[in-house]
Amino acid sequence: LRCSVPVNCFVGQSEWSEYFPDCGGTSQSPVDVITTQTKYDPSLVPVMPLGYSQHGNQPFSMHNNGHTVIVELPEWMGLGGLPWFFTAVQLHLHWGNGGPGVGGSEHTINGRSSDAELHVVHYNAELYPNMSAAMTQRDGLAVLGILIETGEETNPGFNNILNYMSRIRHADQRTFIPAFDVQSLLPKDLGRYYRYNGSLTTPPCYQSVIWTLFHERVQISKAQVWLTMRNTKSASVS
Ligand code: SG4
Ligand code: ZN
């Protein structure tokens, strides 16, 4: 396989490490969490979303980067409960291309995938000045992973994003959406999660992420998933 612009010509994950050496690292994410092999650590306190509900009046910027939808978050949002304070940067979604029931999540639990996965990305604001300085460093980033299942009931929190997806059907399109309570996207139980040191799940795969994968899955409706997929047909949202 030869290509001048690697990001545009991947045929599969197996080739990532040819172009991005970190993708062949020993802590590559995502992982399959095998619950019988996890170790209980009483020092792990519940996840503390800080300022997630203080969204203010400034709209959030949302764009399609050609792979996914990204919502940029205000810098007063952050994450406590870790050895350092982490500032929120953005959230994005991973959807499969198959629709509900096919399993578009990145992380799996005991081999079982979910229909989609939400990631809220933060950087270590105590040790590094900004996201780009932090993203190459061990302990530089903290990402919350939320597994999404589809059912019958509409999840109003997700409509704050999904209602506006049709405005960014194509790569590089950007829009502004009304600010909303980001905590409404998280599961209720913030105390049960899996924590491990891993990496960005896509190139450049920096081994820089403290991962928190919630045990509780969040439900959205099948209609919400179909609507999203229809509105992003040409954007290869994945
Ligand atoms: C997705 O490709 C996002 O579009 C990327 O966001 C993100 O990179 C990448 O996933 C890896 O993040 O939480 N899945 S992940 O490990 O957040 C970063 C952007 O490129 C650095 C802005
Ligand atoms: Zn992600």
Side-chain angles (χ1 to χ4, degrees):
L1 176 87
R2 282 167 56 78
C3 177
S4 59
V5 190
V7 183
N8 290 335
C9 76
F10 288 132
V11 291
Q13 281 185 341
S14 54
E15 267 125 27
W16 283 359
S17 61
E18 212 175 296
Y19 301 96
F20 299 95
D22 279 355
C23 296
T26 51
S27 316
Q28 182 59 38
S29 295
V31 297
D32 178 33
V33 175
I34 299 165
T35 50
T36 55
Q37 288 173 18
T38 59
K39 222 176 102 214
Y40 172 60
D41 181 347
S43 74
L44 294 179
V45 300
V47 169
M48 285 172 55
L50 301 171
Y52 271 44
S53 302
Q54 271 91 60
H55 49 72
N57 304 320
Q58 287 290 334
F60 295 163
S61 178
M62 175 167 108
H63 69 280
N64 175 341
N65 74 347
H67 302 284
T68 185
V69 50
I70 298 182
V71 177
E72 283 151 43
L73 298 175
E75 72 239 1
W76 66 78
M77 289 186 190
L79 203 58
L82 287 160
W84 304 275
F85 172 75
F86 286 76
T87 296
V89 183
Q90 48 106 333
L91 60 80
H92 61 265
L93 290 161
H94 297 266
W95 310 93
N97 290 318
V102 177
S105 71
E106 293 200 312
H107 285 93
T108 53
I109 297 182
N110 296 326
R112 177 178 160 215
S113 57
S114 295
D115 292 326
E117 187 166 338
L118 166 70
H119 289 157
V120 191
V121 181
H122 310 73
Y123 77 91
N124 188 330
E126 285 191 54
L127 299 183
Y128 308 106
N130 52 47
M131 172 73 181
S132 44
M135 72 190 278
T136 57
Q137 308 296 317
R138 229 191 99 77
D139 302 341
L141 305 182
V143 183
L144 299 181
I146 296 103
L147 295 172
I148 300 171
E149 291 286 345
T150 46
E152 299 310 316
E153 246 176 85
T154 301
N155 183 320
F158 277 82
N159 272 347
N160 289 302
I161 299 171
L162 304 183
N163 283 348
Y164 305 96
M165 294 279 281
S166 60
R167 296 186 189 167
I168 54 162
R169 289 184 63 140
H170 303 285
D172 298 327
Q173 282 183 327
R174 182 178 292 271
T175 189
F176 287 89
I177 63 173
F180 64 92
D181 178 359
V182 177
Q183 192 156 346
S184 69
L185 306 177
L186 303 186
K188 284 187 206 64
D189 184 355
L190 302 178
R192 287 185 81 189
Y193 57 79
Y194 306 103
R195 166 80 38 83
Y196 75 98
N197 290 305
S199 73
L200 296 176
T201 60
T202 62
C205 302
Y206 297 131
Q207 314 280 300
S208 59
V209 182
I210 301 172
W211 275 97
T212 302
L213 183 70
F214 287 104
H215 178 80
E216 186 188 332
R217 295 173 171 87
V218 155
Q219 294 270 330
I220 69 173
S221 72
K222 288 193 174 64
Q224 284 179 302
V225 176
W226 286 123
L227 185 79
T228 304
M229 292 185 65
R230 197 159 55 239
N231 283 330
T232 53
K233 228 182 338 211
S234 47
S236 70
V237 166
S238 57

